[in-house]
């Protein structure tokens, strides 16, 4: 059973064993507006928490999406290459961004749960 | 402008009720998008009609026996050659022929002209005109007006049904339909459309009719930008600046031929020299390969990595269906079809020089 976490930077993490799926929240996609391009990370690349893993581009601007924890990229959502608007229509589902292999489970402790994130966005 | 408090639109309450998301632009708090989102807003304008609050822009009335002389000094213009109701795209230039602002001047009467100036330059424009006016028998009067744009193929019908009869007005004509009003057939989208300046109370009354029309929706600044970029129209401060001349910007069409060499406007001799030497760079349309937008500030290189230009505006064109951009490249690379390269966060993206506009203008020229 996957467990759901959130960051203050408006990402969600679904953690299943040591596999973390990352996406942006509905609140974030609404702030960004219609996405037209998602720059996906290379498989096998390692990121430290806080590194820019993905860049999402709306009609108007480019925005960074940060790695919420340390880890190695094991999959990127290639469906977004042809249909970046999936992030807008299904941010918590088909619009996921990447999967990474968790290297330090301790980092999950600093993240928000659903209620904490709801309070964060007020 | 730094340190000035942010200014609010007179109709801000209407945008708030419409659910607008606001952002700062040129010192103003402006609606960037409405709940429909930039993509739908953009396409709706091209398919039906969009309503824009452009009250951040400034209407300046120039009148008096020497109003035309003042404008001929301030702009590369033959103000007396304008027919009544005729509008003209023009500029304020500095002595080096750099573009201080781009404007639309409309002849309202023998001695009466309306100047429409950009928000970001309005204060400087007014000061500039008022300083120049000291040598002329003329009055420079900035007006407090709500300024609305109605743009798109259904704009004329919608306005006609709201009691304004725009049928006789053609593209780049303007007049005063009622006391305190100014209306022109022009815009910043490439579509047929109108701009109407009017007192706030009149604007609120007109808007109760317009907003009841389902063919019309509010359009934010984000879609205004993507619409004008597809239409190949310049944004002052980005695509044209005091460092660029009408010659390198490809805007010489706006300057009457008979005054290019002999005009007495500010910047005339510098401009004549730039034209004689032919400018070293040119403004062009840019079409990045693939889906990734290439945005303002990105340097352009040739195949060997030498810098050959820069992007001044860039984003995604919802009607074009691909990224669109505008910028400057060295003269010899300015022909459509030539490939240059943009470095976006380490990825080298091929960019084709593209003719402007990206989407055909659909003006009503009669």
């Amino acid at each position: 059973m996957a467990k759901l976490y959130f960051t203050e930077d408006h990402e969600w993490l679904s953690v299943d064993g040591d596999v973390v799926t990352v996406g942006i929240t509905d609140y974030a996609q609404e702030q960004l507006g219609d996405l037209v391009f998602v720059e996906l990370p290379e498989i096998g690349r390692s990121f430290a928490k806080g590194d820019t893993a993905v860049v999402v581009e709306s009609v108007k601007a480019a925005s960074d999406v940060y790695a919420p924890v340390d880890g190695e990229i094991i999959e990127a959502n290639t469906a977004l290459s042809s249909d970046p608007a999936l992030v807008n229509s299904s941010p918590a589902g088909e619009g996921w961004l990447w999967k990474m292999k968790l290297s330090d489970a301790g980092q999950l402790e600093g993240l928000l749960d659903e209620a904490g994130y709801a309070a964060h966005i007020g | 402008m730094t340190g000035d408090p942010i200014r609010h639109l007179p109709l801000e309450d209407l945008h708030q009720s419409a659910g607008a998301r606001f952002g700062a632009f040129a010192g103003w708090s402006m609606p960037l998008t409405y709940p429909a989102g930039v993509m739908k807003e953009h396409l709706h304008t091209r398919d039906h009609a969009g309503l824009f609050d452009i009250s951040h822009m400034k209407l300046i009335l120039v009148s008096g026996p020497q109003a035309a002389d003042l404008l001929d000094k301030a702009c590369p213009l033959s103000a007396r050659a304008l027919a009544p109701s005729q509008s003209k795209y023009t500029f304020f230039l500095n002595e080096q022929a750099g573009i201080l602002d781009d404007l639309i001047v409309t002849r309202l009467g023998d001695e009466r002209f309306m100047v429409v100036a950009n928000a970001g330059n309005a204060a400087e424009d007014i000061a500039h005109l008022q300083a120049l006016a000291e040598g002329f028998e003329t009055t420079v009067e900035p007006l407090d007006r709500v300024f609305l744009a109605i743009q798109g193929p259904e704009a004329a019908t919608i306005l006609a049904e709201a009691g304004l009869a725009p049928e006789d007005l053609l593209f780049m004509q303007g007049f005063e339909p009622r006391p305190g009003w100014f209306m022109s057939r022009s815009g910043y989208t490439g579509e047929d459309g109108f701009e109407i300046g009017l007192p706030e109370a009149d604007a609120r009354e007109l808007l109760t009719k317009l907003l009841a029309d389902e063919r019309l929706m509010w359009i934010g600044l984000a879609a205004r930008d993507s619409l004008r970029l597809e239409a190949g129209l310049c944004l002052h401060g980005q695509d044209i600046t005091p460092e660029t001349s009408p010659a390198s910007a490809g805007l010489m069409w706006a300057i009457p031929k008979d005054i290019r060499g002999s005009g007495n406007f500010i910047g005339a001799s510098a401009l004549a020299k730039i034209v004689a030497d032919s400018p070293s760079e040119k403004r062009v349309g840019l079409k990045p390969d693939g889906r990734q937008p290439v945005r303002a500030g990105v340097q352009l290189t040739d195949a060997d990595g030498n810098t050959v230009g820069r992007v001044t505006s860039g984003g995604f064109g919802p009607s074009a269906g691909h990224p669109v951009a505008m910028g400057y490249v060295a003269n010899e690379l300015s022909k459509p079809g030539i490939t240059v390269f943009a470095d976006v966060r380490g990825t080298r993206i091929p960019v084709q020089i593209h003719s402007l506009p990206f989407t055909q203008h659909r003006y009503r020229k009669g």
Side-chain angles (χ1 to χ4, degrees):
Chain A
M1 178 66 189
K3 195 163 181 223
L4 200 58
Y5 297 88
F6 294 85
T7 72
E8 292 187 353
D9 295 325
H10 312 290
E11 293 155 285
W12 57 261
L13 296 75
S14 171
V15 182
D16 194 350
D18 64 353
V19 175
V20 184
T21 308
V22 182
I24 63 169
T25 64
D26 188 50
Y27 176 86
Q29 71 76 21
E30 206 185 300
Q31 295 288 320
L32 293 168
D34 299 309
L35 296 190
V36 297
F37 184 79
V38 179
E39 190 178 299
L40 295 168
E42 280 168 56
I43 310 298
R45 194 160 161 205
S46 287
F47 287 106
K49 179 181 173 171
D51 289 349
T52 297
V54 155
V55 180
V56 292
E57 303 231 20
S58 68
V59 173
K60 188 84 181 121
S63 311
D64 294 338
V65 183
Y66 308 111
V69 290
D70 298 355
E72 183 189 320
I73 303 290
I74 51 175
E75 198 180 339
N77 187 358
T78 50
L80 301 179
S81 303
S82 56
D83 192 4
L86 282 175
V87 178
N88 295 111
S89 58
S90 178
E94 289 175 84
W96 62 275
L97 297 175
W98 75 84
K99 294 184 185 187
M100 64 201 297
K101 198 167 173 214
L102 183 64
S103 41
D104 176 6
Q107 288 181 331
L108 297 173
E109 281 166 30
L111 300 174
L112 302 168
D113 61 10
E114 196 151 9
Y117 179 68
H120 172 63
I121 58 175
Chain B
M1 303 292 281
T2 330
D4 289 353
I6 192 106
R7 304 179 69 181
H8 294 268
L9 296 172
L11 304 180
E12 189 173 72
D13 58 310
L14 295 184
H15 304 300
Q16 278 164 342
S17 333
R21 186 184 305 282
F22 290 84
F25 175 77
W28 290 78
S29 173
M30 296 295 293
L32 297 183
T33 54
Y34 296 87
V38 55
M39 202 74 93
K40 285 204 180 78
E41 292 171 31
H42 177 115
L43 297 171
H44 188 89
T45 303
R46 295 238 188 274
D47 291 342
H48 303 283
L51 173 64
F52 304 71
D53 188 341
I54 52 169
S55 308
H56 59 311
M57 296 183 69
K58 198 66 191 171
L59 294 169
I60 307 166
L61 186 65
V62 178
S63 58
Q66 290 189 294
D69 300 307
L70 169 62
L71 290 171
D72 286 358
K73 181 78 185 168
C75 311
L77 187 70
S78 297
R80 279 203 176 77
L82 295 180
S85 300
Q86 191 184 344
S87 301
K88 185 93 178 76
Y89 177 72
T90 186
F91 324 95
F92 288 152
L93 302 178
N94 60 25
E95 291 290 358
Q96 293 75 44
I99 301 171
L100 296 172
D101 200 6
D102 62 338
L103 322 147
I104 290 184
V105 173
T106 303
R107 185 165 203 176
L108 299 173
D110 275 354
E111 302 180 350
R112 196 174 161 82
F113 296 84
M114 188 68 81
V115 176
V116 179
N118 284 304
N121 303 318
E124 292 87 343
D125 289 345
I126 292 164
H128 182 63
L129 268 184
Q130 282 174 340
L132 286 175
E134 283 176 20
F136 297 95
E137 206 177 321
T138 175
T139 311
V140 174
E141 187 187 349
L143 305 177
D144 276 322
R145 295 287 184 273
V146 164
F147 202 24
L148 301 171
I150 298 96
Q151 301 278 305
E154 291 173 7
T157 314
I158 291 167
L159 284 180
E161 287 173 24
L164 289 163
E167 287 84 0
D168 296 339
L169 204 63
L170 296 177
F171 179 64
M172 292 306 273
Q173 290 184 340
F175 72 120
E176 294 168 291
R178 294 173 196 178
W181 287 44
F182 169 69
M183 177 170 173
S184 69
R185 197 161 197 160
S186 61
Y188 199 42
T189 60
E191 299 297 324
D192 183 24
F194 302 84
E195 295 184 340
I196 306 173
L198 69 179
E200 183 183 337
D202 293 355
R204 288 183 183 273
E205 199 185 318
L206 176 66
L207 283 170
T208 56
K209 290 183 205 159
L210 293 181
L211 290 170
D213 194 316
E214 288 186 354
R215 293 167 293 183
L216 195 63
M217 64 188 272
W218 280 118
I219 309 296
L221 211 56
R224 183 170 165 82
D225 192 50
S226 55
L227 287 159
R228 70 93 193 165
L229 181 53
E230 280 184 346
L233 302 172
C234 293
L235 173 59
H236 190 270
Q238 276 185 215
D239 308 304
I240 48 177
T241 71
E243 280 73 51
T244 49
S245 75
S248 59
L251 297 172
M252 288 301 290
W253 57 266
I255 304 180
K257 282 203 175 68
D258 57 332
I259 64 163
R260 285 182 198 172
S262 62
N264 111 88
F265 58 90
I266 296 172
S269 54
L271 185 62
K273 186 170 183 332
I274 292 168
V275 171
D277 297 347
S278 81
S280 58
E281 56 173 21
K282 249 180 108 174
R283 182 174 62 93
V284 293
L286 300 164
K287 180 182 179 296
D289 281 5
R291 301 276 301 177
Q292 183 164 11
V294 172
R295 301 185 189 275
V298 169
Q299 296 293 308
L300 296 170
T301 59
D302 62 14
D304 300 326
N306 306 305
T307 299
V308 292
R310 64 193 184 280
V311 177
T312 53
S313 282
F316 190 83
S319 302
H322 55 72
V324 292
M326 198 191 285
Y328 285 79
V329 295
N331 231 348
E332 62 275 18
L333 297 174
S334 64
K335 291 219 167 32
I338 287 180
T339 303
V340 292
F341 299 89
D343 183 326
V344 180
R345 301 183 296 271
T347 306
R348 195 169 92 141
I349 300 173
V351 175
Q352 316 293 326
I353 308 298
H354 195 282
S355 58
L356 290 173
F358 290 98
T359 50
Q360 285 313 305
H361 293 161
R362 298 193 288 178
Y363 301 136
R364 186 155 179 279
K365 293 186 169 173

